[in-house]
Every structure is written in C-alpha cells, then in structure tokens.
Amino acid sequence: MKSLAGTFFTAVNLLYAAIFGGPIDGTAWEVKIKEEGFFHWGSIRDTLVFHDGKAVIAGEVAKGYSPALYDSKDESGGTTFAVALEEPGRERVEWSGHVDGERIAGAVIVRGNDGRVQRYVFTGKRRTG
C-alpha cells in the first residue's frame, strides 16, 4: 500500500511540474539585458516572473506580447528554462536560461519577420519582496 501511495504522489508531483512550470514557478527576477557584441555597451532592465506555468516578461508585455507557457527542468547545478513569445504579425522572441540559487543568466533571440536575428544576453538576481 505504501508503494502505491508513493507512486501516486510522485505522479501528482510530475503532473504539477508539467502543468505549472516546475521548480522556478512562483519566482520573480530582475535582469539586465545587453545586446551581444563588443560594441554594445548599453543595457536595459526588465523583470521576469514565472507563475502558474507561464512566463511574464514585463518589457515584452508592454510591447504587446502575452504571457507564454515555459518549460523548465532541474539539471545538475540548477534549473534550465525556455519560453517562446509569439503573437500574430510580431517577431518571435525566445528566452532561455539557467537559474542557480539566487542568480539567473541566459540569452534572448529575436527572430524578425524579415529573417533578421538579434541576440542578447541577460544576467540578474532573484527579486525580493
């Protein structure tokens, strides 16, 4: 009976992680985004929130993108995640990264409708409060 109950709770936990995003769900992050390349010194700040299996990226929402489902999984040394923002008539924006404790880092790829690709990197820390 114990193994049946353990199997049931394991299945429920896996289902929850698949539906609600897993280990980083319920977290918020302050990030600094910079275009890749030596001659790009400026950066912008943004906020990422992982909630109920969706990623809410404040700067992208302000541009008209809706929160999108994200995928995450535990790996040695932290959690990786990926999210793709797609709206009809808009560029595809792909965020991917790695969370390690209180730190986050990754890349943003913007795929223009004209085939142009822009790459950015971001770093940040967990938002408190």
Side-chain angles (χ1 to χ4, degrees):
M1 186 69 167
K2 282 186 177 181
S3 64
L4 181 61
T7 302
F8 172 76
F9 286 113
T10 300
V12 169
N13 285 337
L14 289 172
L15 181 61
Y16 177 85
I19 293 173
F20 296 110
I24 58 174
D25 204 66
T27 62
W29 305 85
E30 295 293 332
V31 296
K32 189 186 305 184
I33 307 162
K34 179 179 170 280
E35 191 168 358
E36 277 188 333
F38 182 73
F39 295 107
H40 301 286
W41 294 295
S43 64
I44 58 172
R45 294 186 182 277
D46 208 339
T47 303
L48 279 75
V49 178
F50 298 99
H51 180 68
D52 286 342
K54 291 188 177 183
V56 180
I57 304 164
E60 305 294 1
V61 170
K63 294 176 188 174
Y65 289 92
S66 299
L69 294 174
Y70 70 94
D71 182 37
S72 69
K73 63 180 175 177
D74 279 331
E75 292 189 352
S76 61
T79 302
T80 59
F81 70 91
V83 61
L85 304 173
E86 296 181 273
E87 296 288 335
R90 296 191 173 273
E91 300 172 319
R92 178 180 167 95
V93 182
E94 302 166 356
W95 287 70
S96 61
H98 185 263
V99 173
D100 186 8
E102 300 295 311
R103 307 297 301 164
I104 189 170
V108 180
I109 298 174
V110 180
R111 299 185 187 280
N113 295 329
D114 59 358
R116 180 180 50 107
V117 176
Q118 291 177 288
R119 298 180 195 293
Y120 301 85
V121 293
F122 66 90
T123 59
K125 61 182 181 177
R126 187 183 298 255
R127 184 175 179 181
T128 58

